[in-house]
Amino acid sequence: MTVGLDRRIAEEIDYRSELMEAARSPSRSRRKFSQLLVSGKASKELLRGWAVNWFYFEKNVPKKDAAIISNCDIVSVRRLWVTKILEHDGFGHNRGAIEGWLKFAIGLGLTNHAVTEARYLDGVTSAVADYLSFVRSKSWVEGIATSIGMLFVPEFVVQRLVAFRRYYPWVEPNALDYFRELYSKARKDGRAAMQLVIRYADTPTLKADSIKAASVGSEIQDRIMQSIMERFG
């Protein structure tokens, strides 16, 4: 019995590591952008281009989460995951992540209209469309697996907050509230995604598919940043 338990624990640890590795790997474009930003070498054009086009991703995140919920038959999971939509769209006194990102963009000197009514890059819109299509067509477990990469976000948030304070004094301080709120939210969301996938990916096939899905979340962001860097970097 102890041997069987030890084997299950070892298998879970291995599976968790595979999910983490699949969700981790950033592309050259993402690394280059981060290097420019944290070294103080990102131009206003690049930062504003990022803010405008990432807004398109941000405003579509609730659609992704709604697709996960619509594919899920487990009430407790739906109750948990619906909070992701509310946190992003906003509810009550909580303005939500979409409004938070818009505030950040305005703090970079953009207007509301310039962000919400922009002609977004084709590479960005196609990446988001593929993301939504993937989540809608796959199991809810795979959909949630695409969010495991949120576990790595807090590290980048700290680096970016430090960089903005040090190198970009022209950015309004309160415009960075989005990142301050993201620090704790990302870790919580990443942990929730990991726990649900570990619990409900209960067949070898679903385990393998969830690992692939974890990489999809990273690949979509890679494609978005590649388009932004090609145009503004």
Side-chain angles (χ1 to χ4, degrees):
M1 187 172 182
T2 303
V3 173
L5 178 61
D6 288 346
R7 183 168 57 249
R8 287 197 299 274
I9 292 173
E11 289 173 352
E12 179 177 320
I13 291 172
D14 289 344
Y15 180 44
R16 185 184 299 268
S17 296
E18 289 183 85
L19 287 167
M20 294 280 281
E21 185 60 30
R24 184 192 305 273
S25 27
S27 68
R28 179 180 299 178
S29 294
R30 268 206 281 174
R31 286 195 298 270
K32 182 181 178 183
F33 173 78
S34 292
Q35 289 166 358
L36 288 172
L37 194 155
V38 302
S39 65
K41 297 176 181 177
S43 66
K44 285 186 179 181
E45 182 185 25
L46 174 57
L47 292 175
R48 289 169 178 168
W50 168 50
V52 168
N53 284 279
W54 198 262
F55 177 81
Y56 186 78
F57 173 80
E58 287 285 346
K59 77 173 186 175
N60 279 282
V61 168
K63 294 181 183 179
K64 178 265 296 183
D65 291 324
I68 290 170
I69 292 170
S70 71
N71 287 337
C72 181
D73 293 327
I74 302 174
V75 173
S76 60
V77 175
R78 294 201 304 266
R79 285 174 177 162
L80 171 65
W81 212 254
V82 74
T83 62
K84 313 304 178 190
I85 297 177
L86 298 176
E87 288 171 354
H88 227 80
D89 276 342
F91 67 98
H93 297 296
N94 182 352
R95 68 175 181 274
I98 297 173
E99 285 298 318
W101 186 265
L102 181 58
K103 179 182 175 182
F104 167 63
I106 292 172
L108 295 178
L110 294 160
T111 65
N112 188 305
H113 184 271
V115 179
T116 60
E117 303 299 327
R119 177 178 173 81
Y120 307 104
L121 297 173
D122 290 343
V124 173
T125 58
S126 65
V128 170
D130 288 346
Y131 191 19
L132 294 178
S133 177
F134 178 87
V135 173
R136 287 166 178 158
S137 64
K138 300 295 182 179
S139 70
W140 68 265
V141 178
E142 292 166 87
I144 286 179
T146 66
S147 295
I148 288 174
M150 294 296 285
L151 285 168
F152 304 110
V153 168
E155 176 185 350
F156 299 117
V157 167
V158 171
Q159 293 173 352
R160 289 173 182 181
L161 281 171
V162 170
F164 274 114
R165 287 197 298 266
R166 181 177 298 169
Y167 299 117
Y168 308 96
W170 52 272
V171 178
E172 298 177 15
N174 64 358
L176 303 176
D177 288 346
Y178 168 90
F179 297 99
R180 298 185 183 99
E181 293 167 8
L182 180 61
Y183 179 81
S184 57
K185 180 180 180 298
R187 195 178 300 278
K188 179 190 69 174
D189 289 353
R191 285 174 177 167
M194 178 66 82
Q195 290 169 358
L196 287 169
V197 173
I198 292 289
R199 178 176 179 181
Y200 290 102
D202 52 4
T203 67
T205 298
L206 191 50
K207 280 182 167 64
D209 289 343
S210 296
I211 292 170
K212 293 177 184 176
S215 70
V216 167
S218 179
E219 290 165 4
I220 292 298
Q221 294 188 38
D222 288 345
R223 287 172 56 189
I224 291 172
M225 289 310 304
Q226 181 178 351
S227 295
I228 292 170
M229 290 301 293
E230 287 176 351
R231 173 62 180 83
F232 302 104

